[in-house]
Every structure is written in C-alpha cells, then in structure tokens.
Amino acid sequence: MHVDQIIEQAQEFVAYHADTDVTLDYSAASIAQVDALLDDLHHRQVDPADVGDLVVGAASYVGEVIRRTLGGTWAAADEDGADSGAAIFNPRMIVAGSSLWPASKVCKRILDGANDSLVLYYETTATIAAAMRAIAQEQEQSA
C-alpha cells in the first residue's frame, strides 16, 4: 500500500465515524477515541483478522495523527520491502529516526487490551521524538 492510500484509509476511517459520538480530528487527544473503540473489540474478544478493514482504518488514522503532530513520515513500500506484494497491511512509519508499525500496535491493542494502550503508545512516541530532536539540536549547536 502506498502512502497516498494510507492517508486515504485514514480519511475513510474519519468519514465512517463522522455521524457517531467519536470525534476524530487528527489531534493527539483523539487517539483516546480510537483506543476506546479497540477496547470494546478487546472485551468482545474479536480477532483482529475478522475486522481487517477496521484495523487498516484505525492504524492509518493513528499513523496520520503521529505524522501530523510529531512530524513522522510513512516509509514507502519500496523503501522497507515489508509491504511489497504482501497480503498483510503493516506499513512502517519513521518518527525522529525510530521505526513504528501502527497496524501491529492496533492488533496488539485489540488482542491484549489496555496493556497495549494507544494513548500510551502515542505519549511514548512523543517523548522519544522530543528527546531525539533535543539531542539533534544540541549536536547541531555544538558543531
């Protein structure tokens, strides 16, 4: 799946939830809304493979929130090879030099529940990104 398709999947996820009480505005706070949706699936013991479209949409949305708020980028399919001709949707993101796989995280959230919170995932990613940027800035200033 190419980057523009991932962004389109996120947009479709938002549109699908537009007439519900779920507010998806690409803010960091909206991650909690997705987390709650996935928590419901966890409590109903839904297999992520049975809700593939939801996994793709949620992962695309979470990745887009990260990209927009933390400055991450999607790795093109031909950059990492993981998506080339693969039947499984699991594109890689790069945030401050670190690799993330939002689809894997969404599946783990459904399977493992609150132990794999998307809110904590986002907060941890934000903390690491800020630290990496601070180190890079410090190195630039000392050079």
Side-chain angles (χ1 to χ4, degrees), residues 35-95:
D35 210 38
L37 289 170
L38 301 181
D39 193 53
D40 178 59
L41 295 176
H42 169 73
H43 288 293
R44 291 190 292 147
Q45 299 181 330
V46 173
D47 184 335
D50 294 337
V51 289
D53 289 344
L54 185 134
V55 169
V56 169
S60 297
Y61 179 78
V62 169
E64 275 299 287
V65 171
I66 291 169
R67 183 182 72 82
R68 293 175 184 205
T69 61
L70 303 178
T73 59
W74 290 105
D78 57 348
E79 285 182 33
D80 66 10
D83 203 44
S84 302
I88 298 172
F89 172 84
N90 198 17
R92 178 171 61 109
M93 290 199 75
I94 302 167
V95 179

Side-chain angles (χ1 to χ4, degrees), residues 14-135:
V14 170
Y16 180 81
H17 291 93
D19 295 331
T20 69
D21 60 347
V22 177
T23 303
L24 301 176
D25 59 4
Y26 295 98
S27 67
S30 70
I31 296 288
Q33 298 282 320
V34 179
D35 210 38
L37 289 170
L38 301 181
D39 193 53
D40 178 59
L41 295 176
H42 169 73
H43 288 293
R44 291 190 292 147
Q45 299 181 330
V46 173
D47 184 335
D50 294 337
V51 289
D53 289 344
L54 185 134
V55 169
V56 169
S60 297
Y61 179 78
V62 169
E64 275 299 287
V65 171
I66 291 169
R67 183 182 72 82
R68 293 175 184 205
T69 61
L70 303 178
T73 59
W74 290 105
D78 57 348
E79 285 182 33
D80 66 10
D83 203 44
S84 302
I88 298 172
F89 172 84
N90 198 17
R92 178 171 61 109
M93 290 199 75
I94 302 167
V95 179
S98 296
S99 292
L100 305 172
W101 286 268
S104 291
K105 188 60 177 181
V106 165
C107 289
K108 287 179 60 103
R109 177 61 177 96
I110 294 169
L111 292 171
D112 299 337
N115 291 333
D116 274 302
S117 164
L118 293 178
V119 172
L120 183 57
Y121 179 68
Y122 177 87
E123 290 171 351
T124 302
T125 301
T127 300
I128 292 169
M132 295 300 288
R133 287 188 182 103
I135 290 168

